[in-house]
Amino acid sequence: MNDPQPVRTGPSTVNRRKFLTAAGAGVAGGSLLTMLEARQAPAQIKGTTLRILQWSHFIPAYDAWYDKFAKEWGEKNGVKVRVDHIPHLDIPARMAAEFAAGAGHDIIYNGSSILTRLYYKNLVDLTDISDAAAKKYGGWIPAARSLVEVEGRWYGLPIFYILAPMLYRKDLFDANNLKYPDTWELARVAARTLKPKGHPTGIALSQCADANLFWRSMFWSFGGTEATPSGDQPTIDSKELREFLKFAKALFEEGMTPEVFSWDDASDNRYLASGIACWVHDAISAYRTTEDTNPPVFANTFLGLEPQGLPGKRVSCAAPNVWMVWKFSKNQQAAKEWLAYLIDNDLEGMTQSRGYNMPYLNDRYKKPMPVIGTDPKLQILQDFPKIVAFYGQPGPSTTPIQEIVNTFVFPDMITKFCRGMAMEDAVKWGAGEYRRIYAKYKQA
Amino acid sequence: MTASSSRGGPEAASPRAAAVSIAVRARPRRWFSSQTSRRLAFGYLLLAPAVLYVLLLVGAPFLFSLFLALSDASVADTTASFVGLENFRAAFESDVFYIALRNSIGFTVVAAIFKGLLGTSLAFLLLQPFWGRKFIRGLVVIPFTLPISISVLGWKWMYDSQFSVINWFLSRIGVIGTYGSAGWPVWLGEPHLALLACIMVNVWRNFPFSAIVLLAGFTSVPTEILDAARVDGTSFFQRFRHVVVPMIAPILLIGFLFDTVFTLSDLGVVYLLTQGGPANATKILPVLAYQVGIQAGALGRGAAIALFLFPLLLPLMILMLRNLKRREY
């Protein structure tokens, strides 16, 4: 038996400067954590200005609440808060411009297209806030990590996501002895039965966010994946993709009209509200639009969980929303304080958005949740967090995936097939685009 | 007078004279001493602001986009490495690029034809004397002056698959089928219709500009010449073809040049109406460049796609400007 070897230690690398830096960081971090814990804003942020770039929410009342809420927080803490609202599609361009200029807002919002991985080197590490929130509220739902985590650190703070359940006309289903659409096959049967009676269904097959989201839900529920769990390789070209495409085309031919090729994100809302659709797969904005514009149809509109593709397999591709703080921000401390405060009040945000904003923190799912927990039709939304996933699943939302999403490769592949292209040609085209885009980033 | 000077020979070098002569020889000959040089310098001085303006606002961005196209620039990185023609090769590898290129050319050519026809007709109409002419002339430029987002949103509603006012009108007068039937056009859903719909909006927005340019040209043609042609027994089209067009050709060419550049680089209409869908049927180069370069963050590849507009426009520009110059002499 050999004698234990002494552990070789290198020469001490701690000099005075490093010691002071480490000690300073420790004190500052400790103070921030203590303040976060106590929900007490530090005196240093008094007299500063915080600039927030926010999207224009689909629910205008939410924006009004948010602006007021932010202003009140600012007044309480001596911070002048300015909130700017722009359409969510303009955010990537605005982000690029602000980064190039090295100036702009302190806090920037990302919706649907999450650019954390693209910009993370220029974003403030928000791990301290996310850890504190996780500790306080029972941890994050599993999918949250994929949006903002890069090399073990969180460069964004997930604030809410938008669900897309099944919204179906119970009166039409009952009148035709159709079963509740708990599987995609049952949804297809319903569409096939009701289309000849003037009630087709529809999922956008155009270049819009809905097309990117909802067809992915179906594909993933059929067992398909877009990338490896590490996110470095595409896995789109698969047996599952072919099965899904076969199903998607059948659903389109039997239950939809060519209108879906022209739809934007609000078209299915109008389709349901007009009383035409037998079911749509959409955010609850469709439900709210119907409530506001067509009460008789609203009375017969019910919500269902994400349908199963394979037995027991439900995956719901949701639209994520994330906050980030620029590294060039001169008011990072106030930005972090505000975000921590916002996370503490995300249930209020959910209420103000009429149940639209779904939280990412586990403890927020204690039933009954605000708005959706008290409306019997919406209660089913409380069961979604376990099946929620985001672009790129089971991998993270990588930069190649964002390009694939932004250039609509996935819905275009389905469109090509539904328009008559041979399945293998459509797959060849789609998988080819995935491979080409991944290769570009690998090369870079 | 010295003896030598009286003989016509060189003056005797007195110390004073020598000093003067040296001083004259030492004076540097200034390059702007002549009248011509001074006029030239003044001309360049007057030209300098325009040259500076072009260099700063056109030359610098062009060179910068060229640099981006030859680099691996990303929206999220302040540094970039030279990658040669890699971004151009990447564009050629994608069939979406070829679709966008084809659509861009088709979009520009078809829109130019319609804008030419409608613009000419409108210009002739506005040339006629009628009550309220000035007011009507002001009204026709409204599509051109409206913010693009508002006007395109209006068109989006008119093209809506379910609530299209165009379809409901055509259906009511029996031209197309009823909603839900095969004869109900889905304007933004059928590939050719969608491209046509985008072209229609571009034509609607910009043909008043063509009309105004043409109107300015028509009003500059002396009535005596037209009267003389009329006396010679020429028809309306003969006067237009052989008198008006040659006289206003420089204005026509400049107008055409502007319109071509505006149409080829028109991002707004397609982006707001279809985002390039369905299945890239309406994708044009500016939309593809925006999606790849800004939304996806691959600035280098986006710049390379956008730069393809340059070789498309360059020969056209050269031809037109040469034609214009020939006409000046």
Side-chain angles (χ1 to χ4, degrees), chain A residues 112 162-164 203-204 208-220 265 281-283 306 315-320 389-391 405 408 410-411:
Chain A
S112 200
I162 298 162
L163 276 181
I203 299 176
C208 68
D210 280 5
N212 260 328
L213 290 164
F214 307 154
W215 291 104
R216 273 183 170 82
S217 292
M218 196 190 292
F219 173 52
W220 296 344
D265 293 332
H281 182 272
D282 197 18
E306 184 67 41
V315 188
S316 175
C317 184
F390 302 111
Y391 294 133
V405 169
F408 303 98
F410 189 72

mmCIF file of all heavy atoms in Angstrom, chain A residues 112 162-164 203-204 208-220 265 281-283 306 315-320 389-391 405 408 410-411:
data_model
loop_
_atom_site.group_PDB
_atom_site.id
_atom_site.type_symbol
_atom_site.label_atom_id
_atom_site.label_comp_id
_atom_site.label_asym_id
_atom_site.label_seq_id
_atom_site.Cartn_x
_atom_site.Cartn_y
_atom_site.Cartn_z
ATOM 1 N N SER A 112 -41.718 35.795 -26.500
ATOM 2 C CA SER A 112 -41.741 34.767 -27.552
ATOM 3 C C SER A 112 -40.337 34.471 -28.089
ATOM 4 O O SER A 112 -39.838 33.377 -27.983
ATOM 5 C CB SER A 112 -42.684 35.187 -28.683
ATOM 6 O OG SER A 112 -43.042 34.050 -29.396
ATOM 7 N N ILE A 162 -47.386 32.443 -21.712
ATOM 8 C CA ILE A 162 -48.768 32.478 -22.198
ATOM 9 C C ILE A 162 -49.140 31.098 -22.711
ATOM 10 O O ILE A 162 -48.480 30.550 -23.599
ATOM 11 C CB ILE A 162 -48.911 33.548 -23.297
ATOM 12 C CG1 ILE A 162 -48.577 34.928 -22.707
ATOM 13 C CG2 ILE A 162 -50.314 33.542 -23.884
ATOM 14 C CD1 ILE A 162 -48.257 35.978 -23.735
ATOM 15 N N LEU A 163 -50.176 30.580 -22.140
ATOM 16 C CA LEU A 163 -50.617 29.216 -22.465
ATOM 17 C C LEU A 163 -51.523 29.187 -23.680
ATOM 18 O O LEU A 163 -52.167 30.176 -23.997
ATOM 19 C CB LEU A 163 -51.440 28.681 -21.309
ATOM 20 C CG LEU A 163 -50.704 28.063 -20.145
ATOM 21 C CD1 LEU A 163 -51.714 27.588 -19.128
ATOM 22 C CD2 LEU A 163 -49.858 26.899 -20.627
ATOM 23 N N ALA A 164 -51.595 28.036 -24.310
ATOM 24 C CA ALA A 164 -52.536 27.865 -25.417
ATOM 25 C C ALA A 164 -53.297 26.561 -25.209
ATOM 26 O O ALA A 164 -52.838 25.499 -25.622
ATOM 27 C CB ALA A 164 -51.797 27.849 -26.740
ATOM 28 N N ILE A 203 -55.716 26.136 -37.348
ATOM 29 C CA ILE A 203 -54.475 26.525 -36.672
ATOM 30 C C ILE A 203 -53.651 27.221 -37.749
ATOM 31 O O ILE A 203 -53.515 26.696 -38.859
ATOM 32 C CB ILE A 203 -53.696 25.304 -36.124
ATOM 33 C CG1 ILE A 203 -54.529 24.544 -35.091
ATOM 34 C CG2 ILE A 203 -52.379 25.742 -35.491
ATOM 35 C CD1 ILE A 203 -53.871 23.269 -34.565
ATOM 36 N N ALA A 204 -53.129 28.397 -37.456
ATOM 37 C CA ALA A 204 -52.427 29.195 -38.464
ATOM 38 C C ALA A 204 -51.318 28.397 -39.149
ATOM 39 O O ALA A 204 -50.522 27.729 -38.487
ATOM 40 C CB ALA A 204 -51.841 30.434 -37.818
ATOM 41 N N CYS A 208 -46.503 33.428 -38.627
ATOM 42 C CA CYS A 208 -46.873 34.189 -37.431
ATOM 43 C C CYS A 208 -46.514 33.344 -36.199
ATOM 44 O O CYS A 208 -46.229 32.156 -36.310
ATOM 45 C CB CYS A 208 -48.354 34.544 -37.440
ATOM 46 S SG CYS A 208 -49.464 33.162 -37.268
ATOM 47 N N ALA A 209 -46.552 33.984 -35.041
ATOM 48 C CA ALA A 209 -46.117 33.308 -33.812
ATOM 49 C C ALA A 209 -46.995 32.099 -33.496
ATOM 50 O O ALA A 209 -46.495 31.052 -33.062
ATOM 51 C CB ALA A 209 -46.142 34.291 -32.653
ATOM 52 N N ASP A 210 -48.304 32.224 -33.731
ATOM 53 C CA ASP A 210 -49.215 31.104 -33.441
ATOM 54 C C ASP A 210 -48.808 29.846 -34.209
ATOM 55 O O ASP A 210 -48.856 28.737 -33.671
ATOM 56 C CB ASP A 210 -50.653 31.478 -33.825
ATOM 57 C CG ASP A 210 -51.305 32.349 -32.754
ATOM 58 O OD1 ASP A 210 -50.621 32.725 -31.794
ATOM 59 O OD2 ASP A 210 -52.509 32.664 -32.900
ATOM 60 N N ALA A 211 -48.423 30.024 -35.469
ATOM 61 C CA ALA A 211 -48.040 28.865 -36.288
ATOM 62 C C ALA A 211 -46.793 28.206 -35.713
ATOM 63 O O ALA A 211 -46.680 26.978 -35.686
ATOM 64 C CB ALA A 211 -47.799 29.312 -37.721
ATOM 65 N N ASN A 212 -45.873 29.019 -35.253
ATOM 66 C CA ASN A 212 -44.657 28.481 -34.650
ATOM 67 C C ASN A 212 -44.951 27.709 -33.372
ATOM 68 O O ASN A 212 -44.343 26.674 -33.096
ATOM 69 C CB ASN A 212 -43.700 29.633 -34.317
ATOM 70 C CG ASN A 212 -42.598 29.794 -35.347
ATOM 71 O OD1 ASN A 212 -42.146 28.831 -35.954
ATOM 72 N ND2 ASN A 212 -42.170 31.018 -35.566
ATOM 73 N N LEU A 213 -45.902 28.229 -32.589
ATOM 74 C CA LEU A 213 -46.162 27.643 -31.271
ATOM 75 C C LEU A 213 -47.027 26.381 -31.342
ATOM 76 O O LEU A 213 -46.671 25.322 -30.822
ATOM 77 C CB LEU A 213 -46.872 28.669 -30.381
ATOM 78 C CG LEU A 213 -46.047 29.875 -29.903
ATOM 79 C CD1 LEU A 213 -46.957 30.979 -29.386
ATOM 80 C CD2 LEU A 213 -45.065 29.452 -28.827
ATOM 81 N N PHE A 214 -48.193 26.506 -31.973
ATOM 82 C CA PHE A 214 -49.217 25.472 -31.797
ATOM 83 C C PHE A 214 -48.915 24.174 -32.543
ATOM 84 O O PHE A 214 -49.229 23.090 -32.066
ATOM 85 C CB PHE A 214 -50.591 26.011 -32.196
ATOM 86 C CG PHE A 214 -50.933 27.311 -31.489
ATOM 87 C CD1 PHE A 214 -51.811 28.225 -32.043
ATOM 88 C CD2 PHE A 214 -50.367 27.623 -30.258
ATOM 89 C CE1 PHE A 214 -52.109 29.419 -31.398
ATOM 90 C CE2 PHE A 214 -50.647 28.808 -29.604
ATOM 91 C CZ PHE A 214 -51.529 29.711 -30.182
ATOM 92 N N TRP A 215 -48.276 24.302 -33.742
ATOM 93 C CA TRP A 215 -47.919 23.068 -34.448
ATOM 94 C C TRP A 215 -46.793 22.337 -33.706
ATOM 95 O O TRP A 215 -46.699 21.120 -33.758
ATOM 96 C CB TRP A 215 -47.519 23.366 -35.892
ATOM 97 C CG TRP A 215 -48.677 23.806 -36.735
ATOM 98 C CD1 TRP A 215 -48.950 25.070 -37.149
ATOM 99 C CD2 TRP A 215 -49.737 22.983 -37.246
ATOM 100 N NE1 TRP A 215 -50.110 25.092 -37.886
ATOM 101 C CE2 TRP A 215 -50.610 23.826 -37.971
ATOM 102 C CE3 TRP A 215 -50.047 21.622 -37.179
ATOM 103 C CZ2 TRP A 215 -51.764 23.353 -38.604
ATOM 104 C CZ3 TRP A 215 -51.189 21.157 -37.816
ATOM 105 C CH2 TRP A 215 -52.031 22.012 -38.512
ATOM 106 N N ARG A 216 -45.966 23.116 -33.014
ATOM 107 C CA ARG A 216 -44.914 22.475 -32.210
ATOM 108 C C ARG A 216 -45.534 21.682 -31.061
ATOM 109 O O ARG A 216 -45.077 20.594 -30.731
ATOM 110 C CB ARG A 216 -43.940 23.528 -31.662
ATOM 111 C CG ARG A 216 -42.818 23.868 -32.609
ATOM 112 C CD ARG A 216 -41.855 24.861 -31.996
ATOM 113 N NE ARG A 216 -40.654 25.018 -32.797
ATOM 114 C CZ ARG A 216 -40.549 25.801 -33.862
ATOM 115 N NH1 ARG A 216 -41.578 26.500 -34.264
ATOM 116 N NH2 ARG A 216 -39.407 25.872 -34.536
ATOM 117 N N SER A 217 -46.576 22.251 -30.430
ATOM 118 C CA SER A 217 -47.254 21.519 -29.348
ATOM 119 C C SER A 217 -47.690 20.152 -29.856
ATOM 120 O O SER A 217 -47.492 19.125 -29.195
ATOM 121 C CB SER A 217 -48.497 22.280 -28.883
ATOM 122 O OG SER A 217 -48.145 23.463 -28.247
ATOM 123 N N MET A 218 -48.302 20.163 -31.038
ATOM 124 C CA MET A 218 -48.806 18.904 -31.604
ATOM 125 C C MET A 218 -47.645 17.953 -31.912
ATOM 126 O O MET A 218 -47.687 16.770 -31.567
ATOM 127 C CB MET A 218 -49.594 19.218 -32.885
ATOM 128 C CG MET A 218 -50.481 18.087 -33.362
ATOM 129 S SD MET A 218 -51.154 18.406 -34.998
ATOM 130 C CE MET A 218 -52.251 19.758 -34.698
ATOM 131 N N PHE A 219 -46.598 18.495 -32.529
ATOM 132 C CA PHE A 219 -45.437 17.682 -32.908
ATOM 133 C C PHE A 219 -44.796 17.045 -31.671
ATOM 134 O O PHE A 219 -44.510 15.842 -31.639
ATOM 135 C CB PHE A 219 -44.438 18.590 -33.636
ATOM 136 C CG PHE A 219 -43.114 17.960 -33.941
ATOM 137 C CD1 PHE A 219 -43.027 16.731 -34.592
ATOM 138 C CD2 PHE A 219 -41.919 18.608 -33.610
ATOM 139 C CE1 PHE A 219 -41.791 16.163 -34.884
ATOM 140 C CE2 PHE A 219 -40.685 18.051 -33.896
ATOM 141 C CZ PHE A 219 -40.626 16.818 -34.530
ATOM 142 N N TRP A 220 -44.603 17.846 -30.653
ATOM 143 C CA TRP A 220 -43.975 17.334 -29.430
ATOM 144 C C TRP A 220 -44.877 16.314 -28.731
ATOM 145 O O TRP A 220 -44.396 15.371 -28.110
ATOM 146 C CB TRP A 220 -43.641 18.480 -28.480
ATOM 147 C CG TRP A 220 -42.619 19.438 -29.026
ATOM 148 C CD1 TRP A 220 -41.775 19.214 -30.082
ATOM 149 C CD2 TRP A 220 -42.329 20.759 -28.576
ATOM 150 N NE1 TRP A 220 -40.989 20.328 -30.302
ATOM 151 C CE2 TRP A 220 -41.298 21.283 -29.397
ATOM 152 C CE3 TRP A 220 -42.825 21.569 -27.564
ATOM 153 C CZ2 TRP A 220 -40.761 22.559 -29.235
ATOM 154 C CZ3 TRP A 220 -42.291 22.842 -27.388
ATOM 155 C CH2 TRP A 220 -41.266 23.324 -28.222
ATOM 156 N N ASP A 265 -51.870 36.343 -35.771
ATOM 157 C CA ASP A 265 -52.053 35.833 -34.412
ATOM 158 C C ASP A 265 -53.444 36.079 -33.830
ATOM 159 O O ASP A 265 -53.812 35.466 -32.826
ATOM 160 C CB ASP A 265 -50.996 36.432 -33.476
ATOM 161 C CG ASP A 265 -49.597 35.944 -33.817
ATOM 162 O OD1 ASP A 265 -49.488 34.821 -34.357
ATOM 163 O OD2 ASP A 265 -48.624 36.666 -33.562
ATOM 164 N N HIS A 281 -56.996 26.184 -31.044
ATOM 165 C CA HIS A 281 -55.942 25.926 -30.061
ATOM 166 C C HIS A 281 -55.234 27.258 -29.909
ATOM 167 O O HIS A 281 -54.474 27.670 -30.771
ATOM 168 C CB HIS A 281 -55.007 24.852 -30.635
ATOM 169 C CG HIS A 281 -53.900 24.450 -29.713
ATOM 170 N ND1 HIS A 281 -52.696 25.097 -29.671
ATOM 171 C CD2 HIS A 281 -53.818 23.455 -28.794
ATOM 172 C CE1 HIS A 281 -51.905 24.509 -28.776
ATOM 173 N NE2 HIS A 281 -52.568 23.512 -28.240
ATOM 174 N N ASP A 282 -55.537 27.962 -28.825
ATOM 175 C CA ASP A 282 -55.052 29.344 -28.761
ATOM 176 C C ASP A 282 -54.927 29.803 -27.316
ATOM 177 O O ASP A 282 -55.409 29.149 -26.390
ATOM 178 C CB ASP A 282 -56.026 30.256 -29.521
ATOM 179 C CG ASP A 282 -55.412 31.602 -29.863
ATOM 180 O OD1 ASP A 282 -54.178 31.715 -29.825
ATOM 181 O OD2 ASP A 282 -56.162 32.535 -30.170
ATOM 182 N N ALA A 283 -54.307 30.965 -27.159
ATOM 183 C CA ALA A 283 -54.215 31.582 -25.835
ATOM 184 C C ALA A 283 -55.613 31.998 -25.389
ATOM 185 O O ALA A 283 -56.533 32.077 -26.210
ATOM 186 C CB ALA A 283 -53.298 32.796 -25.906
ATOM 187 N N GLU A 306 -53.986 20.432 -22.961
ATOM 188 C CA GLU A 306 -53.297 20.132 -24.218
ATOM 189 C C GLU A 306 -53.644 18.694 -24.629
ATOM 190 O O GLU A 306 -53.482 17.761 -23.833
ATOM 191 C CB GLU A 306 -51.785 20.248 -24.003
ATOM 192 C CG GLU A 306 -50.949 20.055 -25.233
ATOM 193 C CD GLU A 306 -51.136 21.171 -26.250
ATOM 194 O OE1 GLU A 306 -51.215 22.339 -25.848
ATOM 195 O OE2 GLU A 306 -51.230 20.847 -27.451
ATOM 196 N N VAL A 315 -47.530 17.827 -24.549
ATOM 197 C CA VAL A 315 -46.527 18.892 -24.403
ATOM 198 C C VAL A 315 -47.132 20.176 -24.966
ATOM 199 O O VAL A 315 -47.642 20.185 -26.085
ATOM 200 C CB VAL A 315 -45.208 18.570 -25.144
ATOM 201 C CG1 VAL A 315 -44.145 19.607 -24.804
ATOM 202 C CG2 VAL A 315 -44.699 17.179 -24.814
ATOM 203 N N SER A 316 -47.072 21.213 -24.166
ATOM 204 C CA SER A 316 -47.663 22.482 -24.601
ATOM 205 C C SER A 316 -46.572 23.511 -24.841
ATOM 206 O O SER A 316 -45.854 23.899 -23.922
ATOM 207 C CB SER A 316 -48.613 22.984 -23.510
ATOM 208 O OG SER A 316 -49.096 24.251 -23.852
ATOM 209 N N CYS A 317 -46.427 23.914 -26.095
ATOM 210 C CA CYS A 317 -45.421 24.924 -26.427
ATOM 211 C C CYS A 317 -46.005 26.294 -26.088
ATOM 212 O O CYS A 317 -46.960 26.746 -26.722
ATOM 213 C CB CYS A 317 -45.070 24.843 -27.911
ATOM 214 S SG CYS A 317 -43.763 25.967 -28.384
ATOM 215 N N ALA A 318 -45.437 26.924 -25.085
ATOM 216 C CA ALA A 318 -45.985 28.202 -24.612
ATOM 217 C C ALA A 318 -45.106 29.370 -25.061
ATOM 218 O O ALA A 318 -43.954 29.179 -25.431
ATOM 219 C CB ALA A 318 -46.077 28.176 -23.091
ATOM 220 N N ALA A 319 -45.692 30.555 -25.026
ATOM 221 C CA ALA A 319 -44.943 31.769 -25.406
ATOM 222 C C ALA A 319 -44.317 32.368 -24.152
ATOM 223 O O ALA A 319 -45.032 32.861 -23.284
ATOM 224 C CB ALA A 319 -45.870 32.763 -26.075
ATOM 225 N N PRO A 320 -42.987 32.308 -24.067
ATOM 226 C CA PRO A 320 -42.342 32.785 -22.838
ATOM 227 C C PRO A 320 -42.148 34.302 -22.810
ATOM 228 O O PRO A 320 -42.091 34.948 -23.860
ATOM 229 C CB PRO A 320 -40.977 32.097 -22.892
ATOM 230 C CG PRO A 320 -40.706 31.906 -24.337
ATOM 231 C CD PRO A 320 -42.017 31.788 -25.039
ATOM 232 N N ALA A 389 -43.482 23.589 -22.355
ATOM 233 C CA ALA A 389 -42.119 23.549 -22.910
ATOM 234 C C ALA A 389 -41.942 24.761 -23.811
ATOM 235 O O ALA A 389 -42.922 25.396 -24.198
ATOM 236 C CB ALA A 389 -41.922 22.269 -23.703
ATOM 237 N N PHE A 390 -40.695 25.053 -24.119
ATOM 238 C CA PHE A 390 -40.421 26.204 -24.975
ATOM 239 C C PHE A 390 -39.602 25.774 -26.184
ATOM 240 O O PHE A 390 -39.100 24.663 -26.237
ATOM 241 C CB PHE A 390 -39.708 27.301 -24.175
ATOM 242 C CG PHE A 390 -40.517 27.756 -22.987
ATOM 243 C CD1 PHE A 390 -40.109 27.480 -21.691
ATOM 244 C CD2 PHE A 390 -41.712 28.421 -23.180
ATOM 245 C CE1 PHE A 390 -40.874 27.889 -20.604
ATOM 246 C CE2 PHE A 390 -42.488 28.828 -22.102
ATOM 247 C CZ PHE A 390 -42.077 28.551 -20.818
ATOM 248 N N TYR A 391 -39.465 26.719 -27.147
ATOM 249 C CA TYR A 391 -38.766 26.412 -28.405
ATOM 250 C C TYR A 391 -37.446 25.680 -28.142
ATOM 251 O O TYR A 391 -36.666 26.080 -27.293
ATOM 252 C CB TYR A 391 -38.446 27.701 -29.162
ATOM 253 C CG TYR A 391 -39.655 28.465 -29.660
ATOM 254 C CD1 TYR A 391 -39.765 29.834 -29.465
ATOM 255 C CD2 TYR A 391 -40.682 27.814 -30.334
ATOM 256 C CE1 TYR A 391 -40.863 30.546 -29.939
ATOM 257 C CE2 TYR A 391 -41.785 28.519 -30.799
ATOM 258 C CZ TYR A 391 -41.869 29.881 -30.596
ATOM 259 O OH TYR A 391 -42.950 30.578 -31.061
ATOM 260 N N VAL A 405 -36.988 29.734 -35.587
ATOM 261 C CA VAL A 405 -38.298 30.279 -35.219
ATOM 262 C C VAL A 405 -38.574 31.560 -36.006
ATOM 263 O O VAL A 405 -39.637 31.730 -36.593
ATOM 264 C CB VAL A 405 -38.363 30.547 -33.693
ATOM 265 C CG1 VAL A 405 -39.597 31.356 -33.334
ATOM 266 C CG2 VAL A 405 -38.363 29.224 -32.927
ATOM 267 N N PHE A 408 -39.434 30.936 -39.559
ATOM 268 C CA PHE A 408 -40.645 30.117 -39.706
ATOM 269 C C PHE A 408 -40.415 28.805 -40.459
ATOM 270 O O PHE A 408 -41.257 28.368 -41.244
ATOM 271 C CB PHE A 408 -41.743 30.931 -40.411
ATOM 272 C CG PHE A 408 -42.071 32.211 -39.699
ATOM 273 C CD1 PHE A 408 -41.521 33.417 -40.105
ATOM 274 C CD2 PHE A 408 -42.922 32.212 -38.611
ATOM 275 C CE1 PHE A 408 -41.800 34.595 -39.436
ATOM 276 C CE2 PHE A 408 -43.217 33.390 -37.929
ATOM 277 C CZ PHE A 408 -42.655 34.578 -38.349
ATOM 278 N N PHE A 410 -40.312 25.705 -39.336
ATOM 279 C CA PHE A 410 -41.187 24.586 -38.944
ATOM 280 C C PHE A 410 -42.588 24.709 -39.557
ATOM 281 O O PHE A 410 -43.054 23.778 -40.237
ATOM 282 C CB PHE A 410 -41.230 24.479 -37.412
ATOM 283 C CG PHE A 410 -41.912 23.246 -36.924
ATOM 284 C CD1 PHE A 410 -41.311 22.006 -37.053
ATOM 285 C CD2 PHE A 410 -43.180 23.306 -36.377
ATOM 286 C CE1 PHE A 410 -41.948 20.850 -36.624
ATOM 287 C CE2 PHE A 410 -43.826 22.168 -35.946
ATOM 288 C CZ PHE A 410 -43.209 20.931 -36.065
ATOM 289 N N PRO A 411 -43.297 25.835 -39.365
ATOM 290 C CA PRO A 411 -44.620 25.915 -40.010
ATOM 291 C C PRO A 411 -44.545 25.894 -41.533
ATOM 292 O O PRO A 411 -45.462 25.374 -42.189
ATOM 293 C CB PRO A 411 -45.198 27.251 -39.509
ATOM 294 C CG PRO A 411 -44.089 27.999 -38.909
ATOM 295 C CD PRO A 411 -43.041 27.014 -38.509
#
